[in-house]
Amino acid sequence: MDEKQVERILQNPKFQEMVIKKRNLSWTLTAIMLVVYVGFMLVVGYNKEFLMTSFSGGVTTWGIPLGLGIIVLSFVLCGVYSFIANRTLDRLNQEAMKEVEQITQGKGSH
């Protein structure tokens, strides 16, 4: 593959759409996770009393379900990414790959 073909692939609208959607999805999910995690760390640092209060009137404190919630959220966000990637990004990837094959075989050269 020469530079001209690589440039045509990078300029391909389907490829660019896929890259933009993947980047936006990744950054959105990353921002959600960071906000939740940093928020939890701020609560740990500045409001320990709240985390030490009882959740159910027994020995379980608010820190336990909140900490578990963060772990569960990470799995949920992975599932969201997989679901969206399988429905949207894979289709765009296949369409882009067809056009890339045409470019590399010389059928789509202009």
Side-chain angles (χ1 to χ4, degrees), residues 20-53:
I20 289 168
K21 284 187 176 189
K22 184 177 180 182
R23 180 180 31 199
N24 289 342
L25 176 63
S26 298
W27 280 113
T28 300
L29 297 178
T30 299
I32 291 169
M33 193 67 220
L34 278 173
V35 166
V36 170
Y37 185 74
V38 169
F40 182 71
M41 290 296 106
L42 289 172
V43 171
V44 167
Y46 293 107
N47 198 358
K48 290 180 189 176
E49 297 78 24
F50 167 71
L51 293 176
M52 293 188 301
T53 59

Side-chain angles (χ1 to χ4, degrees), residues 6-107:
V6 171
E7 186 62 33
R8 288 194 57 219
I9 291 167
L10 293 175
Q11 298 303 321
N12 182 291
K14 299 258 192 235
F15 179 78
Q16 289 180 345
E17 180 184 1
M18 180 188 64
V19 169
I20 289 168
K21 284 187 176 189
K22 184 177 180 182
R23 180 180 31 199
N24 289 342
L25 176 63
S26 298
W27 280 113
T28 300
L29 297 178
T30 299
I32 291 169
M33 193 67 220
L34 278 173
V35 166
V36 170
Y37 185 74
V38 169
F40 182 71
M41 290 296 106
L42 289 172
V43 171
V44 167
Y46 293 107
N47 198 358
K48 290 180 189 176
E49 297 78 24
F50 167 71
L51 293 176
M52 293 188 301
T53 59
S54 177
F55 172 72
S56 60
V59 294
T60 305
T61 64
W62 275 103
I64 294 171
L66 289 176
L68 288 174
I70 291 172
I71 294 168
V72 170
L73 177 65
S74 67
F75 283 101
V76 168
L77 292 179
C78 286
V80 168
Y81 180 86
S82 296
F83 179 77
I84 293 172
N86 288 338
R87 290 191 81 199
T88 306
L89 299 178
D90 282 354
R91 179 185 47 81
L92 287 171
N93 185 43
Q94 289 172 352
E95 292 171 5
M97 288 304 294
K98 286 179 187 175
E99 293 181 18
V100 166
E101 287 174 7
Q102 290 176 348
I103 291 170
T104 57
Q105 293 173 359
K107 294 178 184 174

